[in-house]
Amino acid sequence: VRTPVDDLLRELAPRVLGTLVRRHGQFEACEDAVQEALIAAARQWPADGIPDDPRAWLVAVAGRKLVDAWRSESARREREKTVFDLEPADTGTAADTDDTLDLLVLCCHPAVSPSSQLALTLRAVGGLTTGEIASAFLVPEATMAQRISRAKAAIKSAGARFGEVSTTELTERMAVVRQVLYLVFNEGYASSGGDRTQRTELTTEAIRLTRMLLAASTDLPQAIPETTGLLALMLLTDARRAARERAGELIPLAEQDRALWDAGRIAEGVALIERTLGTGAIGPYQVQAAIAAVHDEAPTDAATDWRQILALYEVLEGIAPGPVVTLNRAVALARVDGPRAGLALLGTLDDDARLEHSHRLDAVRAHLLELAGDLPAAREAYVRAARRAGSLPEQRYLAIRAAQLGE
Amino acid sequence: VKYMIMMFGDAASMGEVQSPEWIREMIGDMIAIDKDLTDSGELVFQAGLTDSSMAKTMRYADGGPVAVTDGPYAESKESLIGFWIVDVESDERLREIVGRIVKWSGVVEVRPLGEAPTDF
């Protein structure tokens, strides 16, 4: 269960790390020291009370951990000289520098593998402990610790320096940061097992970090529309969370109890995307958010504005074409022009190698065949899709659909 | 003692042979079993597998790259679809746990995990 101390620590984590790295360099060592300081605070603060200046406390403790680590290292190497002098923790103007952006860019460095980018971002910027990240990703803690330490080694050997990225490069790298945050979100949202609350943690963290990213992007105007689009997409998707599963069974959008949708998240997501569209270059996150907004604003499935959704999928296919976009467009087309029109569009994907190992083509085909009234063919397609489903909740959902058609 | 409980079957064809109610009840019970084993501290690890048609068999090839063929290693209608590793105090307790699983799968294979020698 998250406590106010946890929330405070996560909020302070990137600021403390930023201060240390600015002061001493060596991202890798500073990151370890901050993690130790966070763990110490999580142990002491609930019992002793939160210090008057929690940020200064963390900077001081992390600084000491850093000195300890370097002293033991230099002792091992039989070096005599002091590695550096620890400055007193100051809370002056320099401390207010927002290092979030630089930290995110470093954690999402191209030299680091995607799964490690996620883990390192959650730890260094999100302030989660290795144990928390490990349980969210359903791997042992030792495995996650190793993944994080390899990620840091990769950054070090790539020679990446903190805060030395130009504005142009920063804008480009934001695309990777957004992708990492969206992966964190999906890891939590499209869960395939594990404890529900641990997975929810990931969607909550992804939204919190995307808010931080947006707040830190004021000097990167070109990056703002897509980051806003991403935040809106996450909010509009997460708004349906309570309605999309019942007793371990997935509920498709059309059958969800819309009274369970989170009206606050929907209002915020809709406002964000409305004020963003047209302010800059259009991008895939903005379009997907606009589509999610049309769904979320419809009082019933029947009242959904499928024409607008179809038009938006056409826009999306124009800027970010791919088989999954075509699949979704086929569903929208089926709702506008009838299931046979949708099935004809699906036919264009039959030989697409990118869908060869995916269950999605058969799942969509089954759904459209069902709408068209061809129940035996629909049932066969549901069973084929169930065989290829990579997530067990989806596999079960597809098996239940097939079973229903057999009645 | 740690045991691996292995469940065999074909999850996708459930949709062809069982009713939606049966599948729903099975899902609810599987979730309850996992939760009970977690709460009792007996669950070490559990996982469900994707369909056996997703399997690839990989073989050592002398001097060359690994030889890969599509499909499972053992050709059989019923292949492994899920497993639990539990750490239980007694055979009686093991039978209790297994009793809840075989209600749905008919049969499971149970084997003790190899352990470290005790007198070295």
Side-chain angles (χ1 to χ4, degrees):
Chain A
V1 181
R2 284 270 285 274
T3 65
V5 168
D6 293 334
D7 288 339
L8 179 62
L9 290 175
R10 288 185 188 183
E11 189 193 311
L12 292 173
R15 295 166 57 197
V16 173
L17 178 56
T19 303
L20 252 73
V21 178
R22 258 176 216 293
R23 206 173 271 174
H24 307 301
Q26 298 208 9
F27 169 76
E28 303 79 22
C30 291
E31 206 277 324
D32 280 333
V34 170
Q35 177 82 180
E36 284 184 56
L38 292 174
I39 290 168
R43 221 174 12 236
Q44 289 177 31
W45 294 4
D48 303 348
I50 296 173
D52 291 339
D53 189 342
R55 200 184 144 279
W57 189 99
L58 288 167
V59 170
V61 172
R64 271 202 302 277
K65 304 271 183 200
L66 201 54
V67 177
D68 290 348
W70 284 351
R71 282 214 180 111
S72 68
E73 193 183 328
S74 52
R76 239 191 346 262
R77 293 179 188 170
E78 294 176 325
R79 280 202 207 122
E80 293 286 294
K81 67 181 171 88
T82 311
V83 181
F84 77 111
D85 295 315
L86 178 63
E87 299 164 39
D90 71 86
T91 50
T93 44
D96 293 330
T97 319
D98 188 351
D99 298 309
T100 309
L101 219 51
D102 292 318
L103 286 174
L104 278 168
V105 164
L106 201 60
C107 293
C108 302
H109 193 278
V112 179
S113 73
S115 69
S116 301
Q117 288 173 338
L118 306 196
L120 190 55
T121 299
L122 286 170
R123 202 172 101 144
V125 191
L128 274 69
T129 65
T130 306
E132 287 167 335
I133 302 166
S135 79
F137 285 91
L138 307 173
V139 300
E141 187 168 341
T143 305
M144 190 50 81
Q146 186 62 18
R147 200 178 285 177
I148 289 169
S149 100
R150 288 178 70 103
K152 290 199 288 184
I155 290 173
K156 192 176 184 178
S157 71
R161 292 289 186 79
F162 182 70
E164 282 188 0
V165 184
S166 72
T167 305
T168 318
E169 206 184 338
L170 212 50
T171 303
E172 284 168 20
R173 296 272 284 278
M174 282 304 113
V176 183
V177 173
R178 280 191 293 266
Q179 197 181 356
V180 166
L181 296 180
Y182 194 44
L183 282 172
V184 172
F185 180 84
N186 276 321
E187 183 73 25
Y189 192 74
S191 67
S192 57
D195 189 312
R196 174 71 23 213
T197 53
Q198 289 163 347
R199 314 292 292 191
T200 307
E201 172 100 322
L202 288 179
T203 56
T204 310
E205 272 310 298
I207 290 172
R208 188 177 72 88
L209 291 172
T210 307
R211 283 189 201 282
M212 281 170 57
L213 173 63
L214 191 57
S217 297
T218 41
D219 293 336
L220 297 174
Q222 285 173 309
I224 291 175
E226 269 298 82
T227 303
T228 311
L230 175 62
L231 178 58
L233 176 60
M234 287 178 178
L235 291 167
L236 292 164
T237 308
D238 192 53
R240 305 182 207 127
R241 187 176 62 208
R244 76 191 281 271
E245 199 181 315
R246 189 172 49 224
E249 189 185 329
L250 290 177
I251 315 281
L253 189 56
E255 292 163 27
Q256 287 175 12
D257 177 359
R258 294 177 186 227
L260 297 175
W261 288 2
D262 184 334
R265 282 229 190 289
I266 293 173
E268 190 190 355
V270 168
L272 281 171
I273 195 62
E274 277 180 352
R275 82 156 196 241
T276 299
L277 285 174
T279 59
I282 191 84
Y285 289 122
Q286 293 169 70
V287 181
Q288 290 176 84
I291 293 167
V294 176
H295 280 300
D296 285 13
E297 287 190 301
T300 61
D301 176 62
T304 305
D305 186 349
W306 285 102
R307 277 185 194 286
Q308 199 185 341
I309 290 176
L310 180 59
L312 287 166
Y313 273 119
E314 282 163 3
V315 172
L316 188 57
E317 209 166 28
I319 57 174
V324 174
V325 179
T326 309
L327 279 179
N328 286 315
R329 184 161 74 83
V331 174
L333 185 64
R335 296 297 294 262
V336 173
D337 288 339
R340 291 288 162 199
L343 285 165
L345 179 55
L346 283 190
T348 65
L349 293 172
D350 277 340
D351 300 321
D352 196 314
R354 290 168 295 180
L355 289 175
E356 199 184 345
H357 297 290
S358 165
H359 67 288
R360 299 181 75 155
L361 181 56
D362 275 323
V364 171
R365 178 171 284 137
H367 174 59
L368 298 189
L369 285 166
E370 190 179 351
L371 288 179
D374 188 348
L375 303 189
R379 191 175 191 212
E380 273 176 40
Y382 277 126
V383 173
R384 273 202 311 276
R387 285 201 190 290
R388 290 182 166 189
S391 105
L392 299 190
E394 277 187 85
Q395 183 191 68
R396 291 160 172 173
Y397 165 76
L398 293 162
I400 288 174
R401 296 305 278 201
Q404 280 169 336
L405 294 182
E407 295 205 308
Chain B
V1 185
K2 292 195 186 74
Y3 290 94
M4 186 173 203
I5 303 170
M6 290 169 270
M7 187 166 77
F8 299 85
D10 179 352
S13 67
M14 263 184 339
E16 292 173 308
V17 294
Q18 303 290 356
S19 70
E21 292 69 34
W22 188 96
I23 300 174
R24 288 200 173 99
E25 212 188 314
M26 186 274 298
I27 293 169
D29 215 22
M30 287 295 160
I31 291 170
I33 291 168
D34 293 346
K35 185 180 185 308
D36 292 348
L37 289 174
T38 305
D39 291 349
S40 68
E42 292 167 308
L43 182 67
V44 179
F45 187 72
Q46 62 83 22
L49 304 184
T50 55
D51 191 77
S52 64
S53 62
M54 304 291 277
K56 288 184 191 307
T57 304
M58 304 193 181
R59 280 190 174 74
Y60 172 71
D62 193 10
V66 170
V68 181
T69 47
D70 283 336
Y73 171 59
E75 278 304 332
S76 74
K77 196 168 181 305
E78 307 267 275
S79 73
L80 188 69
I81 54 167
F83 63 88
W84 293 258
I85 295 174
V86 294
D87 195 352
V88 292
E89 298 287 351
S90 66
D91 278 5
E92 193 187 7
R93 180 63 192 138
L94 178 65
R95 273 194 292 275
E96 249 174 60
I97 296 166
V98 166
R100 294 180 64 181
I101 298 170
V102 290
K103 181 185 169 195
W104 300 105
S105 66
V107 62
V108 294
E109 179 176 328
V110 177
R111 257 200 270 173
L113 267 62
E115 290 183 351
T118 48
D119 47 359
F120 278 80

